[in-house]
Amino acid sequence: MKASAQAHSNIALSKYWGKRDEKLILPNNSSVSMTLDKFFTVTTVDFDSRYSIDSFVLNGEKVGEGQEWKEVQGHLDLIRSMAHTKAKAKVVSNNNFPTAAGLASSASGMAALSLAGSKAAGLNLDKKELSILSRRGSGSASRSIEGGFVEWIKGSKSDGTDSFGRQIAKETHWPELRMIVNIVKSGAKKWKSRAGMAQTIATCPYYPVWEKTAQKDSDTMKELVIKKDFSAVGKLAEFNALKMHATMMTTQPPILYWHPVTMEIMQDIITWRDEGIESYFTIDAGPQVKILCLEKNEHKLVRRLNDIKGIEKIESCKAGPDAKILEKHLF
Ligand code: DP6
């Protein structure tokens, strides 16, 4: 059976960095994210007993080896075991943004694969089950099944059945909020999140501080998003991101995702804020800087960002929609 799905990427306002269970992908702390309207993955999955092997085409290129291939195959195996089938699959997937550059391509990719794959395998999963399945592919993907603002609840059970993404506010909740995504460099990053967070836990002397404080950040962020307290959301998002990067930098060997342009944008945001244009930044496992602001300052900020050399692309995003099934297939 064939099915297609679209899932949007999400950016965490309070981050996930570290697992308590690597196989089930269970986090050390909850996290809160905003789903983005402009960045998404479209995936078609076809399970058919006539296929002799699994195949995967990403952005027009065949992927037949490497980490990405292993992760997709592992996820297909998981779907097959849930659906009690042995049929092989053909998967075709397109991202409308650079892959593996710190723009959450694994989040939208695994969410789209989970939704299309489970439907194609004849499973009829609800949102919680879909989020749990997505989580098994990539932790942040658990937050890409629902749109708007999502909390990935840490959970406490060892089987992971209480660790999933749940919407805390709809896409329409905060129409004035913007996230301006600055694409600094679109090449693949040196440290993927998965290996990076494991290395941080193993060697960073400050990780225990992260572990002790990240849950509270997430709980507070959830309340602030519900209240639409822009200054407090921005301050906490920026602080939480810098705290995460402080643990990355003090990992051995160091994990440094920042480029000179990353630094330049951060410095400018702080200067412009002092001048009265209120905005805050957050950064994930890559050089891209995502800026939180309100609609009233959006155009002024984009104009100024346009003057910074080294930014390849600027996309101003609003909160985006839920993942959905598409009637049109990619093949
Ligand atoms: C820095 O979800 O990509 O973007 O679970 O190993 O697949 P895996 O990692 P991933 O990590 C995302 C880390 C982050 C922070 C966040 O999105 O919360």
Side-chain angles (χ1 to χ4, degrees), residues 172-275:
T172 49
H173 167 68
W174 200 350
E176 306 81 23
L177 188 70
R178 295 291 180 276
M179 189 176 280
I180 306 175
V181 178
N182 297 276
I183 301 180
V184 166
K185 193 172 176 277
S186 45
K189 59 205 185 191
K190 195 170 156 204
W191 278 95
K192 295 226 174 196
S193 313
R194 188 155 307 176
M197 62 179 84
Q199 192 68 8
T200 300
I201 292 179
T203 65
C204 172
Y206 304 120
Y207 190 75
V209 179
W210 171 268
E211 252 189 321
K212 226 184 272 166
T213 57
Q215 185 60 38
K216 180 148 180 289
D217 286 357
S218 179
D219 295 341
T220 307
M221 184 59 80
K222 179 179 158 186
E223 296 311 316
L224 294 173
V225 166
I226 290 167
K227 280 200 283 189
K228 298 195 275 185
D229 184 339
F230 175 67
S231 299
V233 164
K235 277 185 195 132
L236 181 56
E238 199 175 276
F239 170 68
N240 179 269
L242 287 172
K243 191 162 60 175
M244 176 181 74
H245 280 270
T247 72
M248 294 163 164
M249 284 173 195
T250 49
T251 290
Q252 288 166 319
I255 303 176
L256 274 175
Y257 288 116
W258 300 353
H259 285 233
V261 186
T262 313
M263 280 297 291
E264 191 178 342
I265 301 171
M266 288 192 277
Q267 297 282 8
D268 284 343
I269 292 301
I270 293 169
T271 307
W272 299 339
R273 190 152 74 212
D274 291 343
E275 289 169 13

Side-chain angles (χ1 to χ4, degrees), residues 12 15-17 19 25 106 138-140 143 193-194 197 284:
K15 311 287 187 190
Y16 145 58
W17 195 249
K19 298 174 177 66
I25 309 198
S106 65
S138 180
S140 52
R143 303 186 307 239
S193 313
R194 188 155 307 176
M197 62 179 84
D284 292 286

Side-chain angles (χ1 to χ4, degrees), residues 49-303:
S49 50
R50 284 174 309 173
Y51 295 135
S52 57
I53 50 163
D54 288 328
S55 66
F56 176 40
V57 175
L58 176 61
N59 299 329
E61 296 203 13
K62 196 172 179 317
V63 183
E65 55 184 19
Q67 192 55 28
E68 216 154 33
W69 169 240
K70 260 203 231 150
E71 283 168 20
V72 167
Q73 256 201 331
H75 211 58
L76 291 170
D77 286 341
L78 186 58
I79 294 168
R80 275 189 282 260
S81 71
M82 289 167 76
H84 308 290
T85 170
K86 288 199 160 56
K88 298 290 181 194
K90 176 174 175 178
V91 180
V92 175
S93 197
N94 290 329
N95 290 333
N96 74 337
F97 58 94
T99 301
L103 276 177
S105 59
S106 65
S108 55
M110 279 297 173
L113 179 63
S114 299
L115 181 52
S118 59
K119 176 105 193 292
L123 294 165
N124 195 11
L125 305 181
D126 63 22
K127 284 206 162 140
K128 177 177 166 183
E129 293 166 326
L130 277 168
S131 172
I132 289 175
L133 173 60
S134 302
R135 189 203 78 217
R136 297 282 307 268
S138 180
S140 52
S142 66
R143 303 186 307 239
S144 271
I145 291 298
E146 301 228 55
F149 300 86
V150 176
E151 176 190 27
W152 172 13
I153 304 161
K154 168 187 184 241
S156 57
K157 293 187 182 162
S158 58
D159 65 1
T161 50
D162 60 352
S163 182
F164 61 96
R166 185 171 60 187
Q167 189 175 60
I168 56 173
K170 287 204 172 76
E171 181 186 351
T172 49
H173 167 68
W174 200 350
E176 306 81 23
L177 188 70
R178 295 291 180 276
M179 189 176 280
I180 306 175
V181 178
N182 297 276
I183 301 180
V184 166
K185 193 172 176 277
S186 45
K189 59 205 185 191
K190 195 170 156 204
W191 278 95
K192 295 226 174 196
S193 313
R194 188 155 307 176
M197 62 179 84
Q199 192 68 8
T200 300
I201 292 179
T203 65
C204 172
Y206 304 120
Y207 190 75
V209 179
W210 171 268
E211 252 189 321
K212 226 184 272 166
T213 57
Q215 185 60 38
K216 180 148 180 289
D217 286 357
S218 179
D219 295 341
T220 307
M221 184 59 80
K222 179 179 158 186
E223 296 311 316
L224 294 173
V225 166
I226 290 167
K227 280 200 283 189
K228 298 195 275 185
D229 184 339
F230 175 67
S231 299
V233 164
K235 277 185 195 132
L236 181 56
E238 199 175 276
F239 170 68
N240 179 269
L242 287 172
K243 191 162 60 175
M244 176 181 74
H245 280 270
T247 72
M248 294 163 164
M249 284 173 195
T250 49
T251 290
Q252 288 166 319
I255 303 176
L256 274 175
Y257 288 116
W258 300 353
H259 285 233
V261 186
T262 313
M263 280 297 291
E264 191 178 342
I265 301 171
M266 288 192 277
Q267 297 282 8
D268 284 343
I269 292 301
I270 293 169
T271 307
W272 299 339
R273 190 152 74 212
D274 291 343
E275 289 169 13
I277 307 171
E278 194 181 7
S279 71
Y280 301 88
F281 57 82
T282 183
I283 307 171
D284 292 286
Q288 330 299 353
V289 184
K290 294 101 186 181
I291 301 169
L292 278 168
C293 71
L294 292 174
E295 188 181 10
K296 61 180 181 195
N297 286 321
E298 178 188 3
H299 295 299
K300 213 180 287 171
L301 281 164
V302 170
R303 262 201 308 278

